[in-house]
Amino acid sequence: MNFIKHLVHSRWSCYLNKSLSVSSQARLFSTSRMCRTVMPAWVIDKYGSNDVLRFTKNASFPIIDFPNEVIVKVFAAGLNPLDVSMRGGYGAATLSMKRDPVNIKRSGSEFPLILGRDVSGVIMECGLDVKYFRERDEVWAAIPPWKQGSLAEFVVLSANEVSHKPKSLNHTQAAAIPYVATTAWSALVNTGGLSKDNCANKRILILGGSGGVGTFAIQMLKAWGAHVTVTCSQNAEQFVKGLGADHVVDYTSGPVEEPLSALEKFDLILDNVGGDTERWALNLLKPWSGAKYVTLVTPFLQNTDMLGIADGMMQSAATMATKALKHLIKGVHYRWGFYAPSGPALDEIREMVDAGQIQAVVDETFNFSQVPQAFEKVEKGHARGKTVVQISKGGDDL
């Protein structure tokens, strides 16, 4: 009897050891909550200026709550003007509702908050329903603003927000593209109705073409065969021409509407500037031909911050409807464009990048310890491309 017990125990031990060995080989990147609970990150504990940024080694480690999620080790993170605005509390009311729709959590429960919308890195763990990705896949993504961001060692995302990184780019370069790419894609494709099949010879005007969204939009539209006119400062003229812009108008030399009015009218205007541009820009469109004006500078989040969710949404709807009707009578379409994270859109953009049609435009790179300096750089504006933070060294050599 003792011999039988010993034999059963020996065989079970052997099976268990083999199982553990196979498991450890199959899951070289084990990031379960049991193994690790904290990570380094830059966080904010309240809204404010740059002094609210705080580095910690004890940020909560992300966990997979849903079977379609993945955990990504961050190698590089891109910063955008949106991050500066969110640091100051922009959109807090709407984003809090998105994080907690039934208002169960107390006010301020989003803190400590991690900023950063762009990420390039490597998948470390996949949820049970994730089929398109595997551990060790190099990926990039634009992170929704209601989720914890990329200024951390790890981040958790839905698989439909993630795409395989272009092979032709390293992680620092790749982190410069997702947010501006998905924003431009949403504005030009989803809202503007443009595509690679209908863009040839169309006349497009980009107001504010030397920033992140503008530099991406120029390249994508040129790859699709459009004629692109851009407004920018004189010292950025050669820069945007190098990206493919056909015609450049210097906004520092006087009222920009005057030289633009002398040009042939446009099929679509992408407005990255806002302000009083709506007063004159729609007059530059071809009337009664389906021409569209798409602005990325909208009062939606500002309205909900000031008036609350319900009243803010009603005010935004009324404003949008009034403006749309006003301009529709003149034969042109008025639209608001919004940033929309999308893995499938990044799949198509990856093909354009690897085909050499789009290049990453990195203005300046900072180390993980220099995040406050990176925010200062973005806050000053007038950048020629993107500001990128290298989170983990060695990522570009993977």
Side-chain angles (χ1 to χ4, degrees):
M1 188 68 177
N2 289 335
F3 172 75
I4 294 174
K5 286 181 179 180
H6 174 73
L7 182 62
V8 170
H9 175 75
S10 298
R11 290 190 175 184
W12 174 249
S13 299
C14 180
Y15 169 77
L16 189 60
N17 287 335
K18 285 183 179 180
S19 298
L20 289 172
S21 175
V22 170
S23 176
S24 64
Q25 289 176 8
R27 299 182 68 83
L28 292 174
F29 296 118
S30 178
T31 55
S32 68
R33 190 172 178 84
M34 293 178 64
C35 295
R36 190 168 178 180
T37 59
V38 294
M39 65 176 178
W42 282 90
V43 302
I44 62 171
D45 301 302
K46 61 181 180 179
Y47 297 118
S49 57
N50 221 30
D51 57 4
V52 300
L53 290 166
R54 174 175 66 88
F55 178 75
T56 178
K57 293 184 177 180
N58 297 310
S60 296
F61 192 89
I63 58 172
I64 291 177
D65 289 320
F66 301 97
N68 69 327
E69 291 182 330
V70 297
I71 293 177
V72 176
K73 178 173 175 57
V74 182
F75 283 142
L79 288 186
N80 301 276
L82 176 64
D83 295 302
V84 176
S85 299
M86 286 181 62
R87 184 200 64 194
Y90 174 70
T94 303
L95 298 178
S96 292
M97 183 194 70
K98 181 66 177 177
R99 296 183 187 107
D100 184 21
V102 293
N103 198 27
I104 294 176
K105 300 177 183 177
R106 58 183 173 80
S107 177
S109 61
E110 68 267 33
F111 300 118
L113 182 63
I114 302 172
L115 301 172
R117 299 302 106 202
D118 288 303
V119 60
S120 183
V122 171
I123 289 182
M124 305 298 282
E125 186 168 346
C126 297
L128 295 176
D129 286 352
V130 176
K131 308 299 181 187
Y132 188 56
F133 299 100
R134 294 181 300 175
E135 294 173 5
R136 288 194 169 189
D137 280 356
E138 295 186 77
V139 295
W140 62 346
I143 304 171
W146 55 87
K147 293 188 176 183
Q148 293 286 40
S150 55
L151 292 175
E153 191 176 7
F154 296 91
V155 66
V156 64
L157 290 163
S158 297
N160 59 7
E161 296 160 353
V162 177
S163 169
H164 289 103
K165 180 183 76 68
K167 290 182 169 59
S168 58
L169 300 182
N170 60 35
H171 287 285
T172 301
Q173 295 168 325
I177 292 181
Y179 172 81
V180 296
T182 50
T183 301
W185 186 277
S186 175
L188 295 172
V189 178
N190 299 344
T191 305
L194 298 180
S195 71
K196 60 183 177 182
D197 299 320
N198 68 8
C199 213
N201 301 318
K202 284 196 174 179
R203 290 181 53 79
I204 313 296
L205 170 62
I206 300 175
L207 299 173
S210 62
V213 174
T215 56
F216 178 86
I218 292 169
Q219 297 180 83
M220 185 174 79
L221 292 170
K222 288 307 299 177
W224 288 351
H227 181 282
V228 179
T229 299
V230 172
T231 66
C232 65
S233 61
Q234 185 180 18
N235 59 11
E237 182 174 346
Q238 293 305 313
F239 169 65
V240 296
K241 281 187 175 179
L243 295 174
D246 297 290
H247 187 73
V248 180
V249 177
D250 175 15
Y251 67 74
T252 63
S253 62
V256 72
E257 58 265 36
E258 293 180 8
L260 288 173
S261 297
L263 301 175
E264 183 183 341
K265 291 189 181 295
F266 298 94
D267 296 289
L268 185 139
I269 296 174
L270 176 63
D271 186 0
N272 300 299
V273 177
D276 69 342
T277 54
E278 292 184 15
R279 178 178 53 82
W280 49 265
L282 285 100
N283 297 324
L284 304 175
L285 291 168
K286 297 176 182 177
W288 307 109
S289 63
K292 295 184 179 70
Y293 167 88
V294 182
T295 179
L296 290 170
V297 185
T298 77
F300 178 76
L301 291 180
Q302 187 176 14
N303 285 343
T304 55
D305 285 342
M306 292 177 58
L307 304 174
I309 299 298
D311 290 344
M313 292 181 70
M314 289 182 63
Q315 178 64 50
S316 298
T319 300
M320 175 64 198
T322 301
K323 290 185 175 183
L325 182 60
K326 171 187 172 182
H327 295 294
L328 187 60
I329 294 172
K330 299 178 182 179
V332 296
H333 298 277
Y334 176 93
R335 297 285 187 271
W336 286 355
F338 295 97
Y339 151 59
S342 170
L346 286 174
D347 287 342
E348 296 199 42
I349 292 160
R350 178 189 68 235
E351 294 178 5
M352 298 175 72
V353 171
D354 282 338
Q357 296 173 320
I358 292 174
Q359 58 179 295
V361 183
V362 179
D363 185 50
E364 192 169 352
T365 303
F366 293 84
N367 295 326
F368 196 24
S369 61
Q370 298 175 307
V371 165
Q373 293 92 314
F375 268 83
E376 289 175 2
K377 166 72 176 177
V378 176
E379 200 162 8
K380 289 177 182 176
H382 304 290
R384 303 291 176 260
K386 289 291 293 290
T387 298
V388 177
V389 178
Q390 290 182 318
I391 305 297
S392 177
K393 289 185 178 180
D396 291 342
D397 301 324
L398 187 70

